Amino acid sequence: IIRRVKNSGLPCILVLNKIDKVRKDDILKVIAAYAEAYEFDSIIPISALQRDGVKIVLDEILKHTTQSPIAYYPTDAATDRSERYLAGELVREKLLRNLREEVPHGTAVETVLFRDREDGHLTEIYVNIICERESHKGIIIGKQGTMLKKIATEARSEIENLLGRKVYLECRVKVREDWRNNESLINEYNEF
């Protein structure tokens, strides 16, 4: 990494995380070794978990940024992604939060339908939750559908907050074995 940075001509900040797990003497040795290897603009030890030093990192990054003369996005835009994409990501977030280690990160969410009803008061969203194994499907659905219902309820609530209107959300779980090793499927799921 240092070899790449040396010739970039860009500012470089070294952030050493997990200082809460290491003795101070050991941290100082690591800092000294990196400082000898390359002249960083700054070296900042932090504990992201305890939020110790995070503000220092943000302030240091701001020192090295300049405001663009043109706006690339409207000032009120939070993202360049569509509502359809964000809805799928909220479902996936709830999957990861609720399942933690039970199902590895081998899930994707495919938004099959995203449409506003004519009266404008309700958005219908149909998603497929893609997993790699039949056993994962059972874990995602849960006993008598309880886990899938919890995931969908939490996601629907956040999607309603995002959109500012009522949402009908239907989630189905589909198995596509080994989908993470299929480049066309990976690209397809990233589009949603």
Side-chain angles (χ1 to χ4, degrees):
I1 293 171
I2 289 174
R3 210 171 336 120
R4 284 184 167 180
V5 169
K6 278 183 180 179
N7 299 321
S8 72
L10 298 171
C12 187
I13 304 165
L14 175 65
V15 179
L16 300 169
N17 192 19
K18 300 192 180 205
I19 62 169
D20 54 312
K21 304 282 187 196
V22 183
R23 291 185 341 205
K24 188 174 184 177
D25 292 346
D26 293 336
I27 295 169
L28 294 174
K29 289 176 189 173
V30 171
I31 290 173
Y34 275 110
E36 189 176 313
Y38 182 74
E39 189 175 329
F40 292 92
D41 289 279
S42 50
I43 299 175
I44 307 168
I46 70 164
S47 169
L49 182 65
Q50 296 176 356
R51 308 279 307 151
D52 182 21
V54 173
K55 182 168 180 354
I56 296 168
V57 172
L58 296 174
D59 290 343
E60 189 65 25
I61 291 170
L62 284 174
K63 276 194 225 174
H64 297 284
T65 59
T66 57
Q67 188 168 354
S68 173
I70 60 167
Y72 292 101
Y73 302 100
T75 55
D76 62 342
T79 180
D80 63 340
R81 295 297 200 148
S82 67
E83 291 176 338
R84 176 189 185 104
Y85 176 84
L86 294 174
E89 282 299 292
L90 286 170
V91 172
R92 187 164 188 276
E93 176 200 356
K94 299 309 171 196
L95 274 165
L96 297 175
R97 286 195 187 275
N98 283 289
L99 298 174
R100 289 187 168 68
E101 300 302 317
E102 289 186 70
V103 175
H105 295 285
T107 58
V109 176
E110 173 185 40
T111 306
V112 179
L113 179 71
F114 185 103
R115 71 173 173 215
D116 293 325
R117 287 205 177 150
E118 288 183 21
D119 63 10
H121 297 295
L122 182 79
T123 299
E124 292 178 278
I125 304 171
Y126 295 82
V127 300
N128 289 333
I129 296 170
I130 310 300
C131 61
E132 291 186 298
R133 294 186 180 90
E134 199 65 42
S135 62
H136 293 169
K137 180 178 180 177
I139 293 168
I140 293 168
I141 293 172
K143 188 174 183 178
Q144 298 179 334
T146 55
M147 181 55 70
L148 183 59
K149 183 177 182 176
K150 182 177 188 217
I151 290 165
T153 300
E154 290 177 9
R156 181 183 46 77
S157 177
E158 281 203 38
I159 295 168
E160 285 178 343
N161 287 336
L162 174 74
L163 301 179
R165 60 188 173 274
K166 289 285 184 194
V167 167
Y168 171 81
L169 175 63
E170 185 172 307
C171 300
R172 295 189 179 179
V173 183
K174 302 212 177 234
V175 177
R176 296 213 175 111
E177 290 192 21
D178 212 27
W179 71 264
R180 289 190 300 172
N181 292 321
N182 183 325
E183 195 170 330
S184 66
L185 285 177
I186 290 171
N187 292 333
E188 181 182 327
Y189 297 146
N190 282 333
E191 289 176 11
F192 295 103

